[in-house]
Amino acid sequence: MILVGLLLLVALVLPGLPLGEWRAFLLDTAQFAFLISALALAWDLLARTGQLSLAHGAFFGLGAYAAALAAPALGTLPALLVGGVVAGASSLFLGLATLRLHGMYFAIATLAFSEVMRTLVLKAAFTGGAIGLPVQPAFGGAFPLGGYYLAVLVLALAAGVSLRLGRSRLHYAMAATRQGEAVARVLGVPVVRVKLQAFMISAFLAGLAGGVYAMKTLFLSPYDAFGLGRAVEALVIPIFGGLYTTTGPLLGGLIIVGLETWLRLRIGEGYLVVYGVILVLTILFLPKGLVSLFRRKEVRRA
């Protein structure tokens, strides 16, 4: 918890530091890292029930498109809320249909959902289709750092929800569901309801992150917003940082985005080889993620 607080504090004061000529680049990279970390935290919340979702890229994209479409009429903050609600509502329908599935069957169903959403957005006229959708900046561009601080706010919200859930009865119900659904049912845990609650909270946070992402990039394309790469990022980062914790996805997101950016600047397209090797070595030698180096007590409790 102390490390989470320190990371968020650094995020808040970062724009005030003497960053020199790299200031704009570093703040832009940091904003992206915060949003990806928030998405990873959201994915990890559902993973605590034992479900492997590939739909979080779609929730991120739905939140992005919903916020982008709502912003001109409602303004920035209500539009972001709309993005979160649309993503959460879609997870309700998806969850009711698929949460009785397990393992690869659930993963395939969520992957199919992502493809369906991408196709619908691609074909719909009001989303701009394949041409894409221009997006107005946060607060109409009145506050140059408005998007940055919104990203910090979404990350803080995701971290706060994760920490709060870690001390709730729902956390224990999720852990019992993950470790054995049959036993959990015998103990009186409403397994499907617990999964559905985790799915909706998780999707809502992913939608919020998507909304801020839309206002950062100022343009949305169905291929980018609903790409499989976003779903893979949401999955890989918690594994890299440490599953079922708050610090793991947060730390993993910041390090992976920072490392990827640095490698891309240094060695261009070859960065993917080095990036992949680092990920494989980390998973091989730190199966509980980077967080196991700092927070062994938290990992054991999960």
Side-chain angles (χ1 to χ4, degrees):
M1 188 170 178
I2 295 174
L3 184 56
V4 173
L6 284 174
L7 290 172
L8 291 174
L9 182 61
V10 170
L12 278 175
V13 302
L14 185 62
L17 298 178
L19 302 176
E21 61 182 5
W22 291 86
R23 174 185 168 81
F25 175 76
L26 290 175
L27 290 183
D28 185 72
T29 303
Q31 186 180 351
F32 181 65
F34 299 158
L35 295 174
I36 294 302
S37 298
L39 175 64
L41 274 167
W43 183 90
D44 188 74
L45 292 179
L46 178 63
R48 296 177 194 185
T49 68
Q51 296 290 55
L52 180 66
S53 169
L54 292 175
H56 278 66
F59 297 141
F60 188 87
L62 281 172
Y65 267 91
L69 291 168
L74 301 178
T76 296
L77 295 179
L80 292 177
L81 186 59
V82 168
V85 170
V86 167
S90 67
S91 75
L92 172 62
F93 294 109
L94 177 63
L96 289 173
T98 63
L99 279 174
R100 286 178 173 79
L101 301 175
H102 303 95
M104 69 175 72
Y105 300 103
F106 179 76
I108 291 171
T110 54
L111 178 61
F113 171 78
S114 298
E115 287 302 304
V116 169
M117 289 297 106
R118 185 169 68 89
T119 303
L120 289 176
V121 170
L122 194 59
K123 299 297 181 184
F126 68 92
T127 62
I131 297 173
L133 182 70
V135 184
Q136 72 176 28
F139 305 108
F143 306 103
L145 288 174
Y148 175 88
Y149 284 113
L150 281 176
V152 176
L153 180 63
V154 170
L155 180 60
L157 178 63
V161 169
S162 176
L163 288 170
R164 180 69 185 86
L165 277 180
R167 292 166 173 76
S168 69
R169 294 180 63 183
L170 182 59
H171 166 76
Y172 297 104
M174 291 159 67
T177 301
R178 182 178 75 247
Q179 291 165 8
E181 284 194 23
V183 176
R185 284 196 178 92
V186 170
L187 294 174
V189 176
V191 169
V192 174
R193 193 173 73 191
V194 166
K195 288 183 183 178
L196 198 56
Q197 287 176 331
F199 206 18
M200 292 181 67
I201 295 170
S202 175
F204 176 79
L205 292 172
L208 282 182
V212 180
Y213 174 78
M215 296 175 189
K216 170 186 178 297
T217 60
L218 306 180
F219 182 81
L220 287 176
S221 151
Y223 301 104
D224 177 42
F226 292 92
L228 183 60
R230 197 70 69 212
V232 172
E233 279 179 327
L235 181 153
V236 168
I237 288 173
I239 295 173
F240 176 79
L243 284 167
Y244 319 138
T245 67
T246 301
T247 310
L250 199 160
L251 194 61
L254 298 179
I255 290 177
I256 280 188
V257 172
L259 178 67
E260 181 182 341
T261 305
W262 184 77
L263 287 174
R264 187 180 294 171
L265 288 174
R266 287 287 181 180
I267 56 178
E269 291 301 320
Y271 84 93
L272 282 172
V273 177
V274 181
Y275 178 76
V277 169
I278 291 173
L279 285 181
V280 170
L281 290 177
T282 304
I283 291 170
L284 282 176
F285 292 102
L286 291 172
K288 291 184 178 179
L290 291 178
V291 75
S292 62
L293 295 173
F294 310 100
R295 302 291 301 273
R296 293 183 183 279
K297 183 185 291 185
E298 183 180 357
V299 173
R300 281 200 300 270
R301 195 185 74 175

